[in-house]
Amino acid sequence: MKFTLSWLKDHLETDASLAEIVERLTAIGLEVEHVDDKASLKPFVIAKVLTAVQHPDADRLRVLTVDTGDGKPPVQVVCGAPNARAGLIGAFAAPGTYVPGIDVTLSVGKIRGVESHGMMCSERELEISDEHNGIIDLPQDAPVGTSFAAYAHLDDPVIEINLTPNRPDATSVYGIARDLAASGLGRLTGGGIMPHAGDGLCPVKVTIEAPELCPGFALALVKGVKNGPSPKWLQRRLIAIGLRPISALVDITNYVTYDRGRPLHVFDAAKVAGNLTVRRARAGEKVLALDGREYTLTPEMCVIADEDGVESIAGIMGGEHSGCDENTTDVLIESALWDPITTARTGRTLGIISDARYRFERGVDPEFMVPGIELATKLVLDFCGGTPSEIEVAGYAGHKPKIVAFPLSEVKRLTGIEVPKAEALDILTRLGFGPQGSSDVVKVKVPSWRPDVDGKADLVEEVMRIHGVDNIAPQPLTSHDAVNGKILTILQIRTRAARRALAVRGMMEAVTWSFIPAKHAELFGGGQTALKLANPIAADMSDMRPSLLPGLIAAAQRNADKGIGDVALFEVSGTYEGDAADQQRRVAAGVRRGTAKLDGSGRSWAGNAGPVGVFDAKADAIAALEVCGAPVDRLQIEPGGPAWYHPGRSGTIKLGPKTVLGTFGEFHPKTLETLDVSGPICGFEIFVDAVPEPKAKPTRTKPKLELSPFQAVKRDFAFVVDRSVEAGMLVRAALAADKKLVTGVSVFDVFEGASLGAAKKSIAIEVSIQPVEKTLTDEDFEALAKRIVDNVNKQTGGVLRA
């Protein structure tokens, strides 16, 4: 929100300086982002060209003598402007002046051998406009020697504040002045608006077919107007805040929008066919808007239409067909109320950002609907003449103010500051709230321009921002005698650990969109339960991602398209399989492409490294699970995974028969084709929130686990099993033979041959045995070996190889 200092002082009678106003705005919650006090234009003065002669060595240059009005002899200036002549009065910059339009600080110099002591400036060099065909040519009565910025009214500082969405009242200069006055910085002025005497009823009637979208509509006709340029003071204000003056009628609507936060629209009455109707748009209906673009509308949108069709997108932008121009003689002025949610949704869908939408989607003052059209009508009569009709008001049932019960003790409870009761009530009164009663709990009537205030906490905020949050005394943090407990949750700790572990493995962290195309969501398990966005920011971002892999694969391909084919990426974030809480998971995922092996170099001691594959993805997944606290020695790896992986080059990681901790593998060719991805690529996903939490640590009274004093022993076994038997099944069977003595089992050989028989293979395992109570005898080892052999035979059908 931008405004000039003089504009603010139209509504705020104050002696405060610019610095004091800026400081107070930030203190009351209207944070000042930027102040342009036009300091760069202060050195420029009005000067008169006394003589202008041809440069001796340049056809396009003239040598001027310039009177700067300081009582000193004229200065010599070399100028190349075509309109440079004797008698011209313009803007002069002396040596040492910074010229913003050319980003140069002037100095005395020679141009083609002739000294130049400064320059006569064009409008573009002073960043007033884009005009640069000649130097500024002022009227002959311009006072030589005075400040050019003051003469041209360019010394009016522009203040820009950053508004939060809950402050629609501060989208107007008047609303900002009201807050400053309430803070004690001055007196609020210029709020009264006298109703005009209309000449008969408005001939154009309004019918509201969708009252839920339009709670009120006011319309007035002014006949016999002359639509020319708006006054210079109004044009300067609009230019200062970044708006382009168009015509008096259009400039008036922009002025009222910023001055009072009341968006308006003007129709050329001659271009409106019959009466107006406020209704929902029809499917496929189109309108050519004032921005020159054609928009296709839907029934969820609200429009203003005449008998020929749509004339305006309600609350957002008018149509070009009924817009006012220099030929307009009769004008319809519209001031209406629009549903904030519908306005916001329509603006997002059509991609239109306008000053009207900005205010309507936050909520405008309903009680200013009629005064707003009164103000606009007065300005039209002042600038353009004409005869007004009476105001036609349709649908407005009046504003019912909210009443909030406000215990004054809430200020102390929520802020820790004791604000005297009388001061709190006075602050609310100055802000326009109507506190009623004198007890500790007062009834507060919320003004119509504050739709954001709903409860007592909002009223506490109002009291405190005017009382001053700087009155909160600093309090030292209390010290604790004991060490604080952990702050992070298990899930946060695991997320950090997974990120570190994958980064250590040479992978780079990526942050991808949570929204993906519908076909990608369906490809990665979205299906019927996919979460679809009601208002996606783009057509190809319509679904919440059920997996992190589509985004990572696409990111890897974008790197490959730019010549970086060997890339390893990971992400630890959320996935969304549905709208239930248990369908939103924390996942760590990663992909490797090309030859991006663990060391990231693409080379090995044996030559160039081969392409990444299923075992690279498996190693990444196991590493991430290990740092998340998963018992990696008890994990089960089953062949195969979800449909997006290659069925013969993928696996599923489980803990027990039901708990799935992750998947890994190379991607199916059809998956890569659908994603438009090429090259060898593998990936994994682990479910961080599926890893069981560690058991509670033993208390201090329980004995600590000690190392065994007995020598560990290793024994080798080789079993002949069917070719279909997995090595993992045999390992688990051996571990289960004696959970106290057997501390580890690993596979060190797999052999297949004709000597073993058809469809048979030999799996050799190494069993680690750790005695804990005594040294084992030969008989103990024989008994343990028998249990291992029996257990393997029972669970896998394997027999000890001879």
Side-chain angles (χ1 to χ4, degrees):
M1 174 66 188
K2 290 183 178 180
F3 54 93
T4 65
L5 181 61
S6 65
W7 196 346
L8 178 68
K9 289 188 175 181
D10 280 355
H11 301 300
L12 183 68
E13 187 179 302
T14 180
D15 295 327
S17 66
L18 174 63
E20 291 172 326
I21 290 173
V22 168
E23 182 180 1
R24 184 63 58 85
L25 282 170
T26 299
I28 62 177
L30 304 178
E31 182 180 357
V32 175
E33 280 198 334
H34 179 68
V35 177
D36 184 3
D37 62 357
K38 305 295 183 182
S40 61
L41 298 181
K42 290 179 181 179
F44 297 89
V45 297
I46 298 175
K48 184 175 182 178
V49 178
L50 301 178
T51 63
V53 298
Q54 186 67 39
H55 192 288
D57 293 325
D59 294 338
R60 296 185 179 182
L61 297 179
R62 288 180 175 85
V63 181
L64 315 178
T65 55
V66 179
D67 177 14
T68 62
D70 57 359
K72 297 180 180 179
V75 296
Q76 179 173 280
V77 175
V78 177
C79 180
N83 64 335
R85 66 185 187 277
L88 180 143
I89 297 178
F92 172 74
T97 302
Y98 173 74
V99 183
I102 56 176
D103 192 23
V104 168
T105 299
L106 299 179
S107 60
V108 177
K110 285 188 177 182
I111 302 177
R112 294 287 186 94
V114 178
E115 278 195 353
S116 182
H117 297 259
M119 70 181 293
M120 300 295 290
C121 302
S122 68
E123 290 189 357
R124 189 171 74 171
E125 287 160 347
L126 270 62
E127 293 186 334
I128 300 173
S129 72
D130 291 331
E131 178 61 43
H132 65 287
N133 292 325
I135 55 179
I136 296 172
D137 192 348
L138 298 177
Q140 288 300 306
D141 59 354
V144 175
T146 61
S147 168
F148 170 75
Y151 173 82
H153 302 283
L154 298 174
D155 57 346
D156 194 4
V158 178
I159 304 170
E160 182 178 2
I161 63 173
N162 181 24
L163 283 182
T164 52
N166 67 325
R167 290 301 306 277
D169 60 302
T171 59
S172 69
V173 179
Y174 185 81
I176 295 168
R178 180 171 50 215
D179 260 18
L180 287 171
S183 72
L185 204 63
R187 187 174 67 87
L188 188 65
T189 61
I193 299 173
M194 291 295 293
H196 69 271
D199 183 13
L201 298 175
C202 180
V204 179
K205 303 302 178 184
V206 179
T207 302
I208 302 178
E209 294 182 358
E212 70 280 7
L213 304 183
C214 178
F217 195 105
L219 189 70
L221 173 69
V222 183
K223 301 178 68 175
V225 302
K226 184 177 180 181
N227 187 23
S230 58
K232 288 294 184 182
W233 68 265
L234 178 53
Q235 291 188 37
R236 285 195 295 268
R237 284 188 175 176
L238 296 180
I239 292 172
I241 63 175
L243 297 181
R244 179 174 62 89
I246 298 173
S247 66
L249 292 175
V250 176
D251 293 352
I252 286 169
T253 63
N254 287 331
Y255 175 75
V256 177
T257 296
Y258 275 82
D259 187 66
R260 296 303 184 93
R262 162 37 67 180
L264 305 167
H265 185 62
V266 287
F267 299 90
D268 188 329
K271 300 174 183 177
V272 174
N275 295 322
L276 295 178
T277 302
V278 178
R279 59 172 172 82
R280 292 182 180 272
R282 300 185 179 100
E285 207 165 22
K286 296 183 179 181
V287 61
L288 181 63
L290 287 171
D291 61 358
R293 298 171 58 189
E294 185 177 69
Y295 296 96
T296 302
L297 310 177
T298 67
E300 290 77 27
M301 301 174 183
C302 185
V303 299
I304 305 173
D306 62 7
E307 294 177 1
D308 291 339
V310 177
E311 295 294 351
S312 176
I313 307 171
I316 296 178
M317 186 172 289
E320 188 175 85
H321 169 262
S322 58
C324 295
D325 55 31
E326 67 277 2
N327 299 316
T328 299
T329 57
D330 298 339
V331 60
L332 284 168
I333 308 173
E334 167 252 307
S335 175
L337 300 174
W338 306 108
D339 175 58
I341 295 177
T342 302
T343 303
R345 183 186 297 118
T346 301
R348 285 197 300 268
T349 302
L350 299 180
I352 301 177
I353 299 174
S354 66
D355 291 328
R357 173 196 164 185
Y358 181 85
R359 286 158 177 80
F360 279 124
E361 68 185 6
R362 285 160 173 78
V364 300
D365 182 3
E367 290 290 87
F368 199 75
M369 180 181 73
V370 173
I373 203 170
E374 295 275 15
L375 175 59
T377 302
K378 179 182 182 303
L379 293 174
V380 170
L381 297 177
D382 291 345
F383 301 162
C384 307
T387 303
S389 72
E390 294 181 8
I391 298 174
E392 169 84 7
V393 179
Y396 186 57
H399 173 69
K400 184 178 180 181
K402 290 180 284 190
I403 304 296
V404 178
F406 181 41
L408 295 172
S409 59
E410 285 294 284
V411 178
K412 171 70 173 178
R413 187 181 72 86
L414 294 179
T415 67
I417 293 182
E418 189 73 54
V419 178
K421 176 182 175 181
E423 181 183 351
L425 295 178
D426 184 50
I427 288 173
L428 293 175
T429 301
R430 297 200 306 267
L431 287 171
F433 294 82
Q436 302 169 1
S438 57
S439 63
D440 292 336
V441 179
V442 297
K443 299 291 185 181
V444 177
K445 183 170 68 174
V446 179
S448 58
W449 60 82
R450 292 303 301 271
D452 58 301
V453 175
D454 289 314
K456 54 189 180 182
D458 298 322
L459 296 175
V460 171
E461 181 182 357
E462 293 301 300
V463 171
M464 284 310 305
R465 70 185 185 87
I466 301 300
H467 176 73
V469 294
D470 53 340
N471 290 319
I472 300 176
Q475 297 289 335
L477 292 174
T478 56
S479 60
H480 298 280
D481 295 333
V483 177
N484 291 331
K486 64 180 181 182
I487 298 175
L488 300 180
T489 65
I490 291 293
L491 194 58
Q492 290 171 326
I493 294 172
R494 289 176 176 174
T495 298
R496 292 186 174 191
R499 286 188 176 126
R500 291 193 188 99
L502 294 174
V504 167
R505 294 182 61 80
M507 307 183 81
M508 299 185 67
E509 185 171 11
V511 179
T512 63
W513 286 101
S514 297
F515 321 128
I516 62 175
K519 66 176 183 178
H520 293 181
E522 184 177 354
L523 181 66
F524 282 82
Q528 298 297 324
T529 62
L531 281 180
K532 293 191 175 293
L533 300 176
N535 294 293
I537 60 177
D540 59 349
M541 292 185 174
S542 59
D543 290 50
M544 298 295 287
R545 62 187 178 195
S547 168
L548 299 180
L549 292 173
L552 290 172
I553 295 172
Q557 184 61 36
R558 285 194 295 272
N559 279 273
D561 293 340
K562 295 180 180 180
I564 307 174
D566 300 330
V567 64
L569 304 174
F570 79 90
E571 183 173 7
V572 185
S573 190
T575 61
Y576 310 88
E577 299 171 5
D579 55 4
D582 60 350
Q583 292 178 306
Q584 300 178 23
R585 314 194 67 175
R586 179 59 55 90
V587 177
V591 297
R592 291 183 183 270
R593 188 188 185 280
T595 60
K597 297 287 188 174
L598 176 58
D599 63 355
S601 66
R603 299 175 180 271
S604 71
W605 62 270
N608 290 336
V612 295
V614 59
F615 295 109
D616 298 298
K618 176 186 176 183
D620 291 331
I622 295 297
L625 282 171
E626 185 174 13
V627 298
C628 289
V632 293
D633 57 329
R634 293 191 283 117
L635 297 179
Q636 302 172 19
I637 311 295
E638 294 184 356
W644 51 87
Y645 289 116
H646 192 295
R649 302 174 187 173
S650 59
T652 300
I653 306 172
K654 290 185 173 182
L655 184 62
K658 296 182 179 180
T659 304
V660 176
L661 298 184
T663 60
F664 63 89
E666 300 174 26
F667 293 103
H668 199 290
K670 289 185 177 180
T671 301
L672 301 181
E673 181 181 357
T674 303
L675 297 176
D676 194 20
V677 173
S678 62
I681 186 167
C682 66
F684 71 92
E685 276 188 307
I686 67 161
F687 309 117
V688 177
D689 50 6
V691 178
E693 293 192 9
K695 295 181 180 179
K697 294 182 179 180
T699 63
R700 295 179 180 177
T701 58
K702 294 184 178 180
K704 294 182 180 179
L705 186 63
E706 296 181 358
L707 296 175
S708 174
F710 303 104
Q711 178 70 40
V713 181
K714 294 182 178 180
R715 290 288 186 267
D716 295 342
F717 298 83
F719 294 93
V720 178
V721 296
D722 292 338
R723 191 173 295 170
S724 61
V725 174
E726 300 172 7
M729 294 178 59
L730 194 145
V731 169
R732 289 192 293 274
L735 280 169
D738 193 317
K739 294 182 179 180
K740 279 189 175 182
L741 293 177
V742 178
T743 57
V745 178
S746 61
V747 177
F748 67 86
D749 182 61
V750 177
F751 169 74
E752 296 181 10
S755 60
L756 298 176
K760 295 288 184 179
K761 64 180 178 182
S762 169
I763 300 177
I765 61 173
E766 181 185 72
V767 179
S768 298
I769 304 168
Q770 176 61 67
V772 292
E773 296 178 352
K774 64 174 184 175
T775 300
L776 299 182
T777 63
D778 289 342
E779 290 77 11
D780 295 329
F781 280 117
E782 291 298 330
L784 177 59
K786 185 176 186 306
R787 289 197 298 273
I788 293 173
V789 173
D790 291 344
N791 220 38
V792 170
N793 179 260
K794 180 179 179 181
Q795 296 188 26
T796 68
V799 297
L800 200 61
R801 182 178 174 185

